[in-house]
Amino acid sequence: MIMDKVLLFFLVFSLDSARATENHYAYAVVESCRGCQLNRLPDIKSFIFEDLPKYEGVEFKHVQGVPPELVLYNNEEKEMERFQLAQLSRKECNDLLISKGFKKSVPAVKDEI
C-alpha cells in the first residue's frame, strides 16, 4: 500500500516535471532582414537593435528577405514556437519575450573611484 503511494507520487512528480520543461525555452532567435522590411517597421527595428541585445538567451540572426520572426527553441535545439513580429508594437515584442520567460540582463554597476 505504501509502495503504491510512493510509486504514484513519483509518477505524478515526473509528469509535472515533464510538463514544466515542455514550456521552457532554452533560447530565442529573432530572424529578419536588415533592410527594406525593417525600414518600414520602425518599432520592430528599434526592438531588434535597441531592446533585443539586453535580453539573456536571445539573439538576432540576419536572414535576407525574411520578415521579422521570433523563434523559440528548447534545450535540444528543436524549434518549439514561431511568432510573426511585423504586426506587433515594440512594447508587445518586449511583452512577448517576457511572457515566454526571457529576462533582461542587469547592467553591471561601475564603481566610481
Side-chain angles (χ1 to χ4, degrees):
M1 178 84 163
I2 292 176
M3 287 302 289
D4 290 342
K5 288 181 181 181
V6 170
L7 183 61
L8 180 62
F9 171 78
F10 282 113
L11 180 61
V12 170
F13 180 77
S14 297
L15 289 173
D16 284 344
S17 296
R19 278 191 213 114
T21 56
E22 278 178 14
N23 294 327
H24 173 73
Y25 304 106
Y27 66 98
V29 177
V30 173
E31 298 177 349
S32 179
C33 68
R34 289 188 183 157
C36 303
Q37 291 188 33
L38 279 185
N39 289 333
R40 293 188 300 261
L41 301 166
D43 258 8
I44 303 302
K45 188 173 185 175
S46 295
F47 166 72
I48 289 173
F49 294 111
E50 295 173 26
D51 300 343
L52 202 64
K54 298 175 184 173
Y55 283 92
E56 297 174 7
V58 184
E59 65 182 46
F60 173 70
K61 179 179 178 184
H62 172 253
V63 182
Q64 189 64 35
V66 171
E69 295 181 319
L70 172 65
V71 186
L72 304 171
Y73 295 91
N74 67 9
N75 287 325
E76 288 81 38
E77 299 183 9
K78 178 183 173 193
E79 182 179 319
M80 301 303 292
E81 289 189 80
R82 184 177 287 260
F83 298 92
Q84 297 288 323
L85 300 179
Q87 301 300 318
L88 302 179
S89 69
R90 183 177 183 174
K91 182 184 181 326
E92 290 170 328
C93 289
N94 280 289
D95 290 346
L96 178 60
L97 274 179
I98 291 167
S99 74
K100 296 301 179 181
F102 293 95
K103 297 179 180 165
K104 289 186 179 181
S105 55
V106 178
V109 177
K110 294 182 181 180
D111 290 335
E112 291 185 27
I113 298 177

